[in-house]
Amino acid sequence: MISLNWVKDYIDLENEDLHELAVKVTKAGVNVEKVVDSRIENLVIGEVLECVDHPDSDHLHVCQVNIGEKTTQIVCGAPNIKAEMYVIVAKVGCELPGDFKIKKSKIRGVESFGMICSLQELGLEKKYVPEEYAEGIYYFVKDVKPGDNPLEKLYFEDDVIELGLTPNRSDLLSMLG
């Protein structure tokens, strides 16, 4: 696997389309097996302004969340959610890994306009999630502001090209190769 953020330290890829680059690499004699684009549209950092218990549930919460351009209501079931947290918000229209589309919905009679996300919901395997976030949502403890790109702040914004290497290409068994 090749991290394009790492490759950018050596080659200017500013105007390269990811899929065209994969075709060029394949034409150069290295089989590209998969292209992983990490971008997720409509994903922002939100500040939980208010978090109250859902009137019709013992485990859900109704949150008022500042997502930068406005404040929106989101129903959340995470046990660790509380006011004054900076969290990852998938806005209406966002498509999370696994073709999970975020829509406006009613959850037990209360409208919800998005989803507060865990790291697993962004596609990170559970074994890589820090223990304090394993059973709930991820929250930022460093300087962030509502509306920021959470993937950028987590250093997750990276495209990856997965190569199919053969034994005769030992020159490609390292990143510099």
Side-chain angles (χ1 to χ4, degrees), residues 8-29:
K8 287 176 187 174
D9 288 345
Y10 299 94
I11 302 170
D12 179 18
L13 297 174
E14 193 64 38
N15 296 320
E16 285 288 336
D17 176 81
L18 183 60
H19 296 285
E20 287 177 18
L21 179 61
V23 170
K24 289 178 184 178
V25 170
T26 299
K27 286 182 178 179

Side-chain angles (χ1 to χ4, degrees), residues 142-158:
K142 57 184 178 178
D143 294 327
V144 294
K145 64 180 192 231
D148 283 352
N149 180 348
L151 297 178
E152 185 179 295
K153 298 296 181 181
L154 291 166
Y155 303 103
F156 285 0
E157 196 165 66
D158 188 11

Side-chain angles (χ1 to χ4, degrees), residues 6 56 60 85 98 101 109 120 130 140 144 146 166:
W6 190 85
D56 194 27
L60 294 174
M85 291 178 119
K101 293 179 176 82
Q120 295 97 311
F140 292 91
V144 294
T166 56

Side-chain angles (χ1 to χ4, degrees), residues 133-176:
Y133 307 114
E135 299 303 321
I137 52 100
Y138 179 83
Y139 53 91
F140 292 91
V141 292
K142 57 184 178 178
D143 294 327
V144 294
K145 64 180 192 231
D148 283 352
N149 180 348
L151 297 178
E152 185 179 295
K153 298 296 181 181
L154 291 166
Y155 303 103
F156 285 0
E157 196 165 66
D158 188 11
D159 299 321
V160 176
I161 295 178
E162 189 173 313
L163 303 176
L165 299 179
T166 56
N168 65 326
R169 294 304 308 260
S170 60
D171 58 322
L172 297 176
L173 295 177
S174 70
M175 289 301 277
L176 286 178

Side-chain angles (χ1 to χ4, degrees), residues 14-172:
E14 193 64 38
N15 296 320
E16 285 288 336
D17 176 81
L18 183 60
H19 296 285
E20 287 177 18
L21 179 61
V23 170
K24 289 178 184 178
V25 170
T26 299
K27 286 182 178 179
V30 182
N31 186 36
V32 173
E33 292 194 354
K34 185 165 57 168
V35 175
V36 180
D37 181 352
S38 68
R39 288 171 194 77
I40 301 175
E41 299 296 322
N42 292 316
L43 196 67
V44 296
I45 293 175
E47 177 186 10
V48 180
L49 302 174
E50 180 182 306
C51 181
V52 297
D53 289 339
H54 190 291
D56 194 27
S57 173
D58 61 352
H59 71 282
L60 294 174
H61 306 280
V62 180
C63 302
Q64 300 302 318
V65 184
N66 173 3
I67 56 172
E69 73 273 3
K70 66 180 182 175
T71 297
T72 191
Q73 180 170 283
I74 299 175
V75 177
C76 179
N80 63 336
I81 188 75
K82 61 184 178 187
E84 300 182 11
M85 291 178 119
Y86 287 87
V87 296
I88 302 167
V89 175
K91 300 189 304 186
V92 172
C94 181
E95 188 171 327
L96 295 172
D99 292 329
F100 186 71
K101 293 179 176 82
I102 304 300
K103 301 174 191 152
K104 173 185 162 188
S105 62
K106 268 193 176 182
I107 301 174
R108 294 196 183 181
V110 176
E111 286 190 315
S112 184
F113 301 92
M115 181 172 128
I116 298 174
C117 300
S118 69
L119 294 175
Q120 295 97 311
E121 289 160 335
L122 298 181
L124 193 65
E125 291 181 48
K126 190 170 184 165
K127 65 183 175 183
Y128 298 117
V129 175
E131 190 176 317
E132 63 267 28
Y133 307 114
E135 299 303 321
I137 52 100
Y138 179 83
Y139 53 91
F140 292 91
V141 292
K142 57 184 178 178
D143 294 327
V144 294
K145 64 180 192 231
D148 283 352
N149 180 348
L151 297 178
E152 185 179 295
K153 298 296 181 181
L154 291 166
Y155 303 103
F156 285 0
E157 196 165 66
D158 188 11
D159 299 321
V160 176
I161 295 178
E162 189 173 313
L163 303 176
L165 299 179
T166 56
N168 65 326
R169 294 304 308 260
S170 60
D171 58 322
L172 297 176

